[in-house]
Amino acid sequence: MTDSSRATRRLAALMAGMGAAHLIAPRPFDALVPRRLPGSPRTWTYASGVAELACAAAVAFPRTRRTGALATAGLMAAVFPANIKMAYDWRDKPLPLRAAAYGRLPFQAPLIGWALHVARKAGSAHPADRPC
């Protein structure tokens, strides 16, 4: 297994796991939804979970990998305000929780970079090497 295929599989697994978590245990994610968004936080939680599962599926299949990885990068950028909201909301929590909330913020950029790396590798594969 190449580093590229390992990165692809891990990205798909991460997105599938997060998507499933949003659907199975939505309550913690509801609290992260910015109040400015219209509608119910649960609707946004479920929508983001479905989007993460769709990205995972798209990344998993070679034909849709590039598009799925680009969508993943976009989704990760789009949910960054929720991470900021969490850090703000948790500013008065005990130190370990505050550290976790603030610690998430710098990891968003590498995750976006990871998705873009997978997209680049998928886009650079020779067409004859792609399954029909």
Side-chain angles (χ1 to χ4, degrees):
M1 180 183 322
T2 67
D3 286 344
S4 178
S5 65
R6 203 177 346 246
T8 298
R9 289 179 189 180
R10 288 180 179 166
L11 180 62
L14 172 73
M15 295 306 289
M18 289 309 300
H22 278 73
L23 300 177
I24 294 168
R27 180 177 279 168
F29 299 102
D30 291 346
L32 303 179
V33 176
R35 289 186 236 2
R36 285 184 249 156
L37 291 175
S40 160
R42 181 64 49 94
T43 300
W44 288 100
T45 296
Y46 284 153
S48 63
V50 168
E52 287 168 335
L53 289 172
C55 286
V59 167
F61 293 101
R63 286 188 113 170
T64 57
R65 182 164 296 144
R66 183 174 188 283
T67 300
L70 291 172
T72 298
L75 180 61
M76 288 179 181
V79 300
F80 188 65
N83 292 345
I84 293 171
K85 181 185 182 305
M86 178 184 180
Y88 180 79
D89 288 349
W90 287 22
R91 67 191 181 282
D92 296 324
K93 298 260 186 194
L95 181 60
L97 294 176
R98 267 195 333 260
Y102 286 106
R104 289 178 60 170
L105 297 175
F107 286 107
Q108 206 72 17
L111 290 172
I112 292 168
W114 179 11
L116 293 174
H117 167 78
V118 170
R120 270 192 308 278
K121 290 296 184 178
S124 67
H126 190 275
D129 295 337
R130 295 186 192 147
C132 296

